[in-house]
């Protein structure tokens, strides 16, 4: 549920109740009530890190960085760094894990020409819960990752970053563009599993489903298709004509504003008959109300509930979750589809389920490159704080994460970074993950190591680890890095033996230090360089398959 548990996180979790069920329930409640968490230490560090764009409104970002061209990449560069800073140091860990999920779900390439100047707004005004001073556009207070999916879907469709990234800004009657229409169905809502390639719309099975289209938004039964075909995408493309961005190029000469805000341009809207998912809109149906009904069809479709539930279960439980837990999560999503806290209820069903607690799912989810490097920093209490212009940020994010294939928001295709392990098991990806771990453990920042292993070891030596023997050091760091001790302890396990013997060896002497004898020093001095060796031993733990899986 986190980007990697710090030792203090495990202690705090264990203090939340008398048994694991009570602790888990309390922790989920605490994390979902994110605003009540005292995150002042992180917020203070963020305030002092010289970020300049995080509080700018969409209009201010667009005007400063797009229209005026001042540091056009500024919002994008700051988003790369702040998302790492939050994952590293924020106590609101579940919030950050969920933000990562939804950014991936509604993926936008960070340096798309129009996204780069507005990405801070995309993160703050579409994905995350509302914050003071930045109310939701058009009163959609419920549209965010802890709120209501239907509202978030509409917000995402209208934001300048999405409108341009998937080309809906050029989608007009007589010159349509299907890019956004296809992705909103295939990726954002129904999913590829509900798509029938070259299917005949007349042959698709249908179900009567309630839609809030009656008086005072009361439910009326609407017969809709259980799956979608290409004809539905083409009609959706026509339905989505007319949503534009105030970018100074509007054909309506009464509105030449260049603010990056969305608006509906009626002359571009295709008003003729359309049929989508079996539901027909007649000629000259009221617009943009017809577009809103189209989003209702997608958001309230049972297939969308199944698609999103499956993705959440694969993110948080295992690569192959049971159909029963997918159904349970989908049922919560669907039954509370109108609720302002729909998604919060959905996460609670997932995270307190028996499948989530099942130890058979332990260690089945492979950590992607960004997750490995952040987890390595967290488990070792790294004090590094990413900041604009910071050389360490550029190296860890731009070089190691980038070369490993998961630089934040750098997925160019709209499908987002894959969750499954296979794409990350290639030699190049693993090589740069392991090189990143090596750099983080070795690198000095202003004369101090990014990972202060000396302080941690000396602290342990004063109390928890009075005997700094190779055996004890290996056991201490395995427990620290992996977060648990197996039955019978670590000694005798293959990884423990490798780490212990690494600490025992002496590059200028073929003899090995006794396994249970305290090392005389952990200084960086010849001939042993024990403190450097300790860093190498920790790298072994951080590079192990045990750590690479959640």
């Amino acid at each position: 549920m986190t980007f990697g548990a710090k030792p203090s996180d495990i202690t705090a979790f264990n203090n939340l109740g008398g048994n694991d069920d009570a602790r888990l329930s309390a922790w989920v409640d605490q994390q979902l009530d994110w605003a009540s968490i005292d995150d002042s230490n992180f917020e203070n560090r963020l305030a002092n890190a010289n970020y300049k764009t995080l509080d700018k409104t969409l209009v201010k970002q667009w005007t400063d960085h797009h229209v005026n061209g001042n540091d056009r990449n500024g919002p994008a560069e700051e988003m790369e760094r702040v998302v790492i800073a939050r994952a590293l140091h924020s106590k609101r860990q579940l919030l950050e894990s969920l933000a990562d999920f939804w950014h991936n779900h509604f993926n936008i390439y960070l340096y798309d020409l129009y996204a780069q100047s507005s990405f801070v707004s995309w993160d703050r005004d579409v994905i995350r819960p509302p914050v003071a001073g930045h109310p939701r556009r058009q009163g959609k207070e419920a549209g965010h990752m802890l709120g209501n999916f239907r509202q978030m879907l509409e917000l995402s469709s209208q934001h300048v970053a999405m409108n341009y990234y998937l080309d809906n800004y050029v989608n007009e009657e007589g010159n349509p563009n299907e890019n956004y229409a296809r992705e909103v169905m295939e990726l954002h809502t129904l999913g590829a599993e509900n798509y029938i390639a070259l299917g005949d719309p007349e042959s698709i099975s249908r179900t009567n489903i309630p839609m809030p289209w009656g008086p005072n938004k009361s439910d009326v039964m609407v017969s809709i298709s259980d799956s979608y075909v290409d004809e539905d995408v083409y009609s959706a493309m026509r339905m989505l004509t007319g949503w534009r961005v105030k970018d100074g190029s509007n054909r309506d000469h009464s509105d030449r504003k260049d603010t990056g805000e969305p608006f509906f341009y009626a002359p571009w809207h295709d008003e003729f008959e359309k049929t989508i998912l079996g539901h027909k809109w007649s000629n000259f149906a009221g617009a943009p109300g017809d577009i809103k009904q189209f989003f209702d069809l997608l958001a309230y479709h049972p297939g969308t509930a199944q698609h999103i539930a499956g993705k959440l279960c694969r993110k948080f439980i295992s690569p192959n979750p049971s159909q029963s837990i997918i159904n349970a999560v989908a049922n919560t999503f669907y039954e509370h589809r109108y609720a302002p806290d729909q998604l919060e209820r959905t996460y609670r069903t997932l995270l307190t389920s028996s499948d989530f607690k099942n130890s058979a799912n332990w260690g089945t989810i492979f950590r992607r490159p960004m997750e490995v490097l952040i987890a390595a920093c967290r488990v070792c209490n790294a004090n590094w704080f990413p900041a604009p212009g910071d050389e360490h940020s550029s190296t860890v994010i731009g070089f190691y994460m980038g070369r490993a294939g998961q630089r934040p928001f750098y997925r160019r295709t709209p499908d987002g970074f894959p969750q499954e392990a296979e794409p990350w098991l290639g030699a190049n990806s693993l090589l740069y993950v392991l090189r990143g771990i090596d750099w983080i453990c070795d690198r000095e920042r202003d004369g101090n190591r990014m990972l202060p292993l000396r302080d941690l070891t000396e602290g342990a030596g004063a109390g928890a680890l009075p005997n700094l023997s190779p055996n004890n050091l290996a056991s201490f760091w395995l427990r620290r890095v992996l977060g648990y001790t197996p039955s019978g302890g670590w000694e005798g396990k293959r990884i423990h033996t490798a780490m212990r013997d690494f600490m025992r060896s002496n590059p200028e002497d073929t003899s090995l230090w006794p396994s249970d004898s305290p090392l005389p020093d952990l200084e960086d001095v010849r001939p042993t360089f024990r403190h450097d060796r300790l860093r190498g031993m920790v790298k072994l733990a951080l590079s192990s398959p045990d750590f690479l899986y959640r």
Side-chain angles (χ1 to χ4, degrees):
M1 294 181 289
T2 74
F3 276 94
K6 294 184 177 184
S8 58
D9 295 335
I10 296 175
T11 300
F13 180 89
N14 287 334
N15 290 332
L16 287 175
N19 57 63
D20 284 340
D21 284 347
R23 287 188 278 266
L24 177 60
S25 180
W27 192 88
V28 171
D29 288 344
Q30 182 186 80
Q31 287 287 312
L32 289 176
D33 188 16
W34 63 276
S36 68
I37 298 173
D38 181 4
D39 212 16
S40 55
N41 183 59
F42 167 74
E43 296 293 345
N44 290 337
R45 295 188 71 179
L46 183 65
N48 292 325
N50 201 32
Y51 283 89
K52 300 182 185 303
T53 70
L54 302 185
D55 289 326
K56 290 185 177 182
T57 64
L58 169 62
V59 174
K60 181 67 171 170
Q61 284 176 62
W62 184 261
T63 302
D64 287 353
H65 304 284
H66 181 79
V67 177
N68 296 332
N70 298 326
D71 189 16
R72 184 181 292 272
N73 293 339
E77 292 175 353
E78 293 202 351
M79 272 306 305
E80 279 194 284
R81 284 157 174 73
V82 77
V83 74
I84 301 298
R86 288 168 175 157
L88 281 173
H89 298 295
S90 175
K91 292 183 179 179
R92 296 161 178 166
Q93 281 289 297
L94 182 56
L95 193 74
E96 297 312 313
S97 293
L98 292 170
D100 176 70
F101 173 85
W102 287 109
H103 269 295
N104 222 43
H105 183 78
F106 292 112
N107 185 62
I108 294 175
Y109 171 54
L110 179 67
Y111 283 98
D112 186 78
L113 178 61
Y114 296 93
Q116 62 187 352
S117 302
S118 61
F119 209 84
V120 167
S121 168
W122 167 256
D123 172 73
R124 183 194 60 224
D125 301 332
V126 174
I127 303 297
R128 292 177 176 273
V131 293
H134 295 281
R136 290 295 182 203
R137 291 181 290 113
Q138 302 180 354
K140 301 292 186 182
E141 289 82 8
H144 57 86
M145 66 184 189
L146 292 181
N148 183 274
F149 175 76
R150 163 65 183 83
Q151 307 295 3
M152 182 163 63
L153 176 66
E154 186 172 328
L155 280 176
S156 71
S157 75
Q158 295 175 11
H159 195 277
V160 58
M162 181 65 77
N163 218 316
Y164 272 90
Y165 176 61
L166 292 181
D167 301 320
N168 206 56
Y169 78 108
V170 293
N171 187 18
E172 62 175 315
E173 180 189 9
N175 186 30
N177 185 297
E178 74 171 81
N179 200 11
Y180 177 67
R182 184 168 293 278
E183 305 306 358
V184 76
M185 299 180 81
E186 181 177 328
L187 298 177
H188 301 167
T189 56
L190 294 165
E193 63 265 38
N194 289 302
Y195 168 59
I196 300 177
L198 304 177
D200 176 9
E202 298 300 323
S203 67
I204 305 299
S205 59
R206 299 166 70 89
T207 304
N208 288 328
I209 294 175
M211 290 290 158
W213 298 347
N216 299 316
K217 296 187 177 181
S218 60
D219 278 343
V220 296
M221 300 306 293
V222 178
S223 177
I224 63 173
S225 304
D226 294 326
S227 304
Y228 71 99
V229 299
D230 289 308
E231 287 299 322
D232 294 307
V233 175
Y234 304 146
S235 293
M237 167 186 68
R238 294 172 50 225
M239 175 67 79
L240 289 163
T241 52
W243 272 116
R244 300 212 55 211
V245 173
K246 295 180 181 179
D247 60 3
S249 63
N250 306 332
R251 294 183 182 180
D252 183 347
H253 291 277
S254 66
D255 186 357
R256 287 273 183 183
K257 293 180 181 178
D258 196 355
T259 62
E261 297 170 292
F263 80 110
F264 181 70
Y265 187 57
W268 275 27
H269 186 54
D270 186 326
E271 296 181 309
F272 295 100
E273 182 181 294
K274 311 172 193 73
T275 299
I276 305 173
L277 293 172
H279 180 74
K280 179 179 177 180
W281 286 266
S282 300
N283 290 336
F284 309 111
D290 54 350
I291 301 177
K292 293 180 180 294
Q293 286 189 338
F294 166 66
F295 282 127
D296 288 344
L297 282 183
L298 297 183
Y300 302 145
H301 195 293
T304 294
Q306 282 282 323
H307 175 60
I308 291 175
K311 289 186 69 173
L312 282 167
C313 290
R314 288 187 290 275
K315 163 80 171 178
F316 287 101
I317 293 180
S318 83
N320 298 293
S322 69
Q323 189 59 48
S324 62
I325 184 57
I326 293 175
N327 290 344
V329 175
N331 286 343
T332 299
F333 182 95
Y334 184 77
E335 291 299 322
H336 298 281
R337 60 194 180 278
Y338 303 148
D341 60 347
Q342 172 202 21
L343 293 174
E344 181 179 329
R345 291 171 182 261
T346 300
Y347 309 141
R348 201 180 302 276
T349 295
L350 169 69
L351 298 174
T352 59
S353 68
S354 58
D355 284 65
F356 183 81
K357 302 171 188 176
N358 188 347
S359 60
N361 292 320
W362 172 270
T364 60
I365 300 176
F366 194 74
R367 278 179 165 140
R368 297 175 295 186
M370 186 180 88
E371 297 165 353
V372 178
L373 297 179
I374 291 173
C377 289
R378 283 182 59 79
V379 77
C380 294
N381 274 337
N383 198 41
W384 164 56
F385 196 93
D390 172 48
E391 178 263 339
H392 293 266
S393 302
S394 299
T395 303
V396 175
I397 297 169
F399 186 76
Y400 291 110
M401 290 182 184
R403 292 293 183 91
Q406 201 198 7
R407 184 171 174 175
F409 314 121
Y410 248 64
R411 180 76 168 183
R412 290 178 180 266
T413 52
D415 55 346
F417 289 115
Q419 180 64 53
E420 60 269 25
E422 285 74 16
W424 310 112
L425 290 173
N428 188 73
S429 184
L430 285 174
L431 171 66
Y432 279 97
V433 166
L434 302 187
R435 287 187 63 186
I437 289 171
D438 181 70
W439 189 89
I440 289 169
C441 288
D442 273 350
R443 189 68 174 173
E444 294 209 1
R445 176 187 172 91
D446 301 327
N448 297 310
R449 301 279 192 172
M450 288 184 71
L451 299 186
L453 302 186
R454 181 191 306 276
D455 296 338
L456 293 174
T457 304
E458 289 176 353
L465 193 59
N467 180 350
L468 298 180
S469 68
N471 262 338
N472 283 354
L473 283 169
S475 294
F476 172 83
W477 278 103
L478 281 168
R479 182 174 66 252
R480 179 66 172 271
V481 167
L482 302 181
Y484 73 103
T485 299
S487 177
W490 281 108
E491 290 189 32
K493 301 292 189 290
R494 182 181 178 188
I495 187 173
H496 181 276
T497 300
M499 290 170 57
R500 177 202 67 191
D501 289 349
F502 184 77
M503 285 305 299
R504 294 175 67 198
S505 61
N506 184 337
E508 296 188 4
D509 188 343
T510 57
S511 63
L512 296 177
W513 189 266
S515 299
D516 289 317
S517 296
L519 293 164
D521 65 71
L522 285 173
E523 298 299 318
D524 283 325
V525 295
R526 294 181 64 88
T528 58
F529 296 99
R530 295 286 187 195
H531 193 266
D532 234 23
R533 221 153 188 51
L534 174 62
R535 290 181 175 277
M537 189 191 73
V538 174
K539 293 174 196 176
L540 289 176
L542 294 171
S543 303
S544 68
D546 307 71
F547 188 73
L548 296 180
Y549 281 85
R550 284 199 280 125

